[in-house]
Amino acid sequence: LLQGCLAMQTTPPDSSPSLPSYLTAAYTGLHQAELRQLVRTDVHLDSERPYLLTRATTTKNQRDAVIPLHPSLAAEFSRKAG
């Protein structure tokens, strides 16, 4: 997982998801369960238009989906990755 950006995993009661986690949810429309299952290889930053690939095994409708990343979210992923 990209630390911080994809950290929509269950958080302890005394902590809260980071701003990048909220941005990922807001910009992609993914459900919390889908966000928790994202892995580094689902994030494609090197393409002409960065995107997330949600795998059929992780989505509610059981279909792969390509979700374009908002430029500011792609920049945040890049910053965290590197």
Side-chain angles (χ1 to χ4, degrees):
L1 289 174
L2 283 174
Q3 298 298 319
C5 286
L6 300 178
M8 288 300 290
Q9 298 179 2
T10 306
T11 55
D14 59 340
S15 67
S16 61
S18 65
L19 179 59
S21 298
Y22 285 116
L23 291 176
T24 303
Y27 283 133
T28 65
L30 291 173
H31 297 97
Q32 185 176 4
E34 295 167 331
L35 289 166
R36 283 195 310 261
Q37 295 182 60
L38 288 173
V39 294
R40 176 69 177 104
T41 56
D42 296 333
V43 182
H44 299 268
L45 299 173
D46 295 330
S47 67
E48 184 177 324
R49 292 193 171 140
Y51 65 95
L52 292 178
L53 177 64
T54 58
R55 294 162 280 121
T57 58
T58 65
T59 61
K60 185 176 178 180
N61 67 4
Q62 300 297 303
R63 294 182 181 187
D64 287 342
V66 174
I67 302 171
L69 291 176
H70 186 278
S72 62
L73 184 55
E76 184 65 21
F77 276 120
S78 293
R79 187 178 71 79
K80 291 287 185 177

